[in-house]
Amino acid sequence: TGGKPLAGFFQSLAVPAIDWVFMVGLLGIGLALMLGIGTRLAALAGVVMMGFMYVATAPWVWGSLNPVVSEHLVDAMILVLIPLASAGDTLGLGGWWKRLRLVKKLPFLI
């Protein structure tokens, strides 16, 4: 496992079905963030995905990556900032999306 304690667990997930779920998840997160719709939900899903990637690399193991400045942690912080800055309202469809009746009724879709 190369000094990575959770490598066996993540290698057991390396099946075509899980690969498809992962890729479709990435596509959904990317589209939502680019279009500016559902940025909170997309950011939350992206942070969870980055968390899994961070754990999969096991940066806390001695001789591994830097556990403080990991690209996965930096990406997760950026994902948190996107909905906080209402970036989808400026360059995307966020303003229109927030005015929809369904989104007003279910604010977690913002």
Side-chain angles (χ1 to χ4, degrees), residues 10-31:
F10 286 106
Q11 287 171 355
S12 73
L13 296 177
V15 296
I18 299 294
D19 289 344
W20 273 95
V21 170
F22 178 76
M23 291 303 194
V24 169
L26 285 177
L27 177 65
I29 291 167
L31 283 175

Side-chain angles (χ1 to χ4, degrees), residues 13 19-20 22 31 37 42 55 61 65 75-76 93 99-100 109:
L13 296 177
D19 289 344
W20 273 95
F22 178 76
L31 283 175
I37 58 174
V55 171
V61 177
L65 303 172
D75 290 345
L93 304 172
R99 291 190 299 270
L100 292 176
L109 293 174

Side-chain angles (χ1 to χ4, degrees), residues 2-93:
K4 303 210 183 301
L6 298 173
F9 170 72
F10 286 106
Q11 287 171 355
S12 73
L13 296 177
V15 296
I18 299 294
D19 289 344
W20 273 95
V21 170
F22 178 76
M23 291 303 194
V24 169
L26 285 177
L27 177 65
I29 291 167
L31 283 175
L33 293 174
M34 285 191 303
L35 294 174
I37 58 174
T39 54
R40 288 182 187 174
L41 200 54
L44 177 63
V47 167
V48 169
M49 201 171 278
M50 286 294 126
F52 279 129
M53 289 182 198
Y54 177 78
V55 171
T57 60
W60 58 86
V61 177
W62 180 259
S64 185
L65 303 172
N66 185 339
V68 178
V69 184
S70 167
E71 65 181 292
H72 301 109
L73 295 180
V74 172
D75 290 345
M77 286 186 276
I78 291 169
L79 284 169
V80 169
L81 291 176
I82 290 172
L84 289 177
S86 296
D89 296 356
T90 307
L91 296 173
L93 304 172

